[in-house]
Amino acid sequence: MASAALLPRLLLLTLVISLVAVAAGGDNSTAAGQIRINCGASVSATDSDGRAWDGDAASKFAPSVAGVAAGASYEDPSLPSTVPYMTARVFNSSYTYFFPTRPAGRVFLRLFFYPAAYGDRGAGDAFFGVTAGGVTLLRDFNASQTALALDQAYLVREFSLNVSGSLDVTFAPSSSSAGSSNGYYAFVNGIEIVPMPGDMVTKPVPTFANGRRPDPMPIRADTAFQTMYRLNVGGTAVSPGDDSALLYRSWDDDSSYIFGAAFGVSYGKDSNVSIQYSPSVPPYIAPESVYASARSMGPSAQINLNYNLTWILPVDAGFYYILRFHFCEIQYPITKVNQRVFYIYINNQTAQEQMDVIAWGGGIGRPVHTDYLVVTAPGAGQTDLWVALHPEVDTRPEYYDAILNGLEVFKLQTYNTDSLAGPNPSIPQAVDGDHAVAVQSKRKSDAFVAGWAAAAGGLVAALVGCLFTWAIFCRRKWKAGSDVVHVPEPVHKTQAPVLHGPTAYVFSVTAQK
């Protein structure tokens, strides 16, 4: 009798467990299907974030692994972990890894590079291309030059691809030259594949922010993306192990990209404020630490009305970009509509008027995010994305201020060439041996010169004696509410080549000087 009564309960318990398992493996689950390859290694190992990496020797993803397994000649102290950076797979000819992707859909593909000498191969001789899913990800890529230009010891290149069934990743050395005694080679230290929630990059539909055209611009589902920047604004860097939803993204500190001396004020959330996610902003959009910190312009309305809080982000010219802004009001007394309202400017254009985080989110502690699509002029090399915030005055808000919690920048593939590849950045001249100082000095100097040329002669003469004050308050004094704000890089009026975009629309842009 007892057994008869127990049987239905066991069946019910089994059903509940099954439903839980199905729920855990739904669209928002990213733990299943993750792949990590420690290239050049023969055994499994764990990195500092607790991720397990399989060696690629005799791997099921490389059934006839080619190339040479090699160890790095030197361990830079800035490496976050020896795995996967201290071993590499070196290729003298083209080689392809084959990865199953189940279920089909969008994935993060991350490639890890530590430019060092591997055997008799110098870091400077590694010039190669990478293709995946029919898209060229890298072309004539030199990790050593790129790392020097960015003042970094290692590189992680993150891409988002929409794949079905399998993903093939091919590494191919560039054509050799007479200047290379051993010929060029390709190498990779680590490969990571992480399934993504399906709507992560397609919602919300971005707004086109160029040329006074505020139309929503849906992005094609097969578009490939490259992550250019992922910033925790006003907070500290977030390591992959501290990211949300087991997506293992890295979020960098934003302070090195702020233009000028006016950094605003960075702060964390009040202790009695909790971050409340919603169906439109689920936890996988960004970790709580991103929304729990912020940067605002500061407490002085008079100062805030005379400058813009500005970030300068170098990117590859000739591509479309999506900029994703993350907002969350996290400190009292900002709890009501029309207390803090501001403009968002992107590259000399008003992307958003009357941005009111409380109105958009519905209350304090409620995250929102919004996407904007921009296009850069065709050309070789890099150009700067200017992102700026300025108080809105027409609605007479209680505080003349602006706020930002996080910022992401994604490069979109070109459709005429199916490519995401940009050039290797130029190595700046070192200043006292400090590459970072040189990069920052050059960036600010170029911006300063452009602004000087655009200023009126009388204004320049009047402000020569107080140049530092002018740089902070006047050069960045952009008229609130204007449709076009004054930033460097004047634009020619001649027509430039047409860019083939990621939508049904085709746009032409003007070539920058």
Side-chain angles (χ1 to χ4, degrees), residues 485-504:
V485 293
H486 300 291
V487 298
E489 303 295 342
V491 177
H492 291 305
K493 299 301 182 182
T494 55
Q495 194 68 28
V498 170
L499 287 178
H500 297 276
T503 72

Side-chain angles (χ1 to χ4, degrees), residues 327-347:
F327 299 102
C328 188
E329 291 288 4
I330 54 176
Q331 282 193 343
Y332 293 99
I334 307 296
T335 61
K336 301 175 184 177
V337 172
N338 204 42
Q339 284 188 290
R340 174 155 49 196
V341 186
F342 52 94
Y343 291 91
I344 302 173
Y345 297 129
I346 303 174
N347 273 2

